[in-house]
Amino acid sequence: MAFTDRSDLFAAMHENGINATIGQLMLQRPSMFNYATILFTQALRSQLCVPINTPPGGGPLFTVEPQLPVLGAPRPLGLDWCLQLSNVSVDLFPGNTLTLPPELDPIGSQQFALHLRACFGLACPDDQVVENLAAEMEAAVAASMLPATAPAAGVQPVPSANVLCSCLDVFGVGHFERGAVAGIPGQWLKTRLDSLEIVDLVTNPPSNLESMLECYLRVVLRLGVLPRLIVPMESLVLNITQMLQDNDTAIGQHVTLVPATDVPNNPAVEDDELKVFFNLKVD
């Protein structure tokens, strides 16, 4: 059967041509494949996971994205990061160019396989920076308990000069389909992803992945969760006078319990117990 038996025109593009086009697109429009916070245009430019060459016609190196939030922080905090996609290539059915992981091999009729290398970089702050910010977060929590607290202005970046990078090989299988787009006239060619597989993430984890996760969780705990657990010592005071009055017992003096200051640790964690020490105060 001739290619034009069922149509007036025929056009085709080999997968080698598609991959060459992708390569040129990555050179001409790197911002389509690279994403980072604004700081990577300045202080952290040299610490991108994958160096980016300036495109021949100029233009942005990457798409600017907001900072990664520190979850739970009393005031908005953000960590700088970058995500870079490289080594992008496709393999059209029957699939004989890429070596796919067993979970995706072989691809089916009318499908294509995709491979790319994804590198994620996290700007990890050192302990001193986190310690200083922890004091600010505790102050923010304490201030929030007072009336007329002024709202925080914008996201505060967490300073860092050390970027941890970790790269993963990602494979996907998808297909093309033709259809309409809601509210837009005409027919459109759409690309659909059927499945995705990250190679050897468990048995052979990429370098720095553990350090990166530990860094982010450490920052979240120290700047997001733990500052919210502070409790004013005054709230630990037990007003015995009020307790007795509530029980219809009248006494002539005001008696309270106040946290003891002459013990080594108060509260103390020992003997499988959490201990708190008080002194009696009579007014």
Side-chain angles (χ1 to χ4, degrees):
M1 180 184 296
F3 289 126
T4 54
D5 279 358
R6 298 182 180 178
S7 63
D8 294 328
L9 294 174
F10 165 77
M13 187 173 187
H14 193 271
E15 60 187 29
N16 292 342
I18 296 175
N19 288 328
T21 302
I22 293 175
Q24 283 300 310
L25 189 61
M26 296 179 73
L27 292 175
Q28 300 288 339
R29 298 289 178 86
S31 60
M32 295 179 61
F33 301 88
N34 297 274
Y35 304 84
T37 56
I38 189 65
L39 197 62
F40 278 90
T41 63
Q42 306 155 8
L44 298 180
R45 167 105 182 244
S46 63
Q47 295 198 51
L48 284 164
C49 299
V50 180
I52 308 174
N53 295 322
T54 303
L61 299 183
F62 55 82
T63 300
V64 176
E65 297 289 345
Q67 292 173 317
L68 183 68
V70 177
L71 302 177
R75 289 181 180 171
L77 295 176
L79 295 175
D80 290 288
W81 61 275
C82 64
L83 175 63
Q84 300 179 263
L85 308 179
S86 61
N87 299 346
V88 181
S89 59
V90 298
D91 187 3
L92 306 180
F93 179 82
N96 51 16
T97 302
L98 296 176
T99 301
L100 297 177
E103 295 85 353
L104 302 180
D105 192 29
I107 61 175
S109 176
Q110 301 302 318
Q111 285 187 314
F112 65 87
L114 168 72
H115 168 256
L116 58 86
R117 190 161 179 79
C119 293
F120 182 80
L122 179 69
C124 186
D126 60 34
D127 284 343
Q128 188 58 55
V129 168
V130 175
E131 190 67 28
N132 294 339
L133 281 173
E136 293 184 27
M137 295 304 102
E138 290 175 349
V141 171
S144 67
M145 300 178 184
L146 302 176
T149 302
V155 176
Q156 178 181 349
V158 179
S160 174
N162 179 34
V163 177
L164 296 174
C165 288
S166 185
C167 298
L168 298 167
D169 280 305
V170 181
F171 290 87
V173 170
H175 68 278
F176 299 104
E177 63 182 40
R178 186 182 72 253
V181 175
I184 306 296
Q187 292 286 302
W188 298 77
L189 179 64
K190 305 177 183 181
T191 305
R192 302 302 193 202
L193 182 66
D194 298 323
S195 54
L196 187 74
E197 184 70 24
I198 299 175
V199 177
D200 295 334
L201 182 59
V202 176
T203 59
N204 186 26
S207 62
N208 282 332
L209 181 60
E210 181 178 350
S211 298
M212 189 181 300
L213 293 175
E214 288 173 348
C215 172
Y216 185 66
L217 290 176
R218 182 171 64 249
V219 171
V220 168
L221 286 172
R222 294 178 66 181
L223 300 184
V225 177
L226 296 182
R228 294 184 178 275
L229 300 182
I230 64 172
V231 177
M233 292 296 288
E234 288 79 2
S235 68
L236 298 177
V237 174
L238 177 62
N239 190 325
I240 298 178
T241 304
Q242 185 63 49
M243 181 180 66
L244 294 175
Q245 289 176 348
D246 290 342
N247 288 287
D248 297 327
T249 302
I251 61 175
Q253 293 178 307
H254 186 265
V255 182
T256 57
L257 291 178
V258 296
T261 58
D262 55 350
V263 294
N265 300 291
N266 189 18
V269 180
E270 56 194 23
D271 303 326
D272 299 326
E273 297 175 338
L274 175 62
K275 302 176 181 179
V276 182
F277 303 91
F278 295 94
N279 289 326
L280 281 174
K281 183 179 179 181
V282 181
D283 297 326

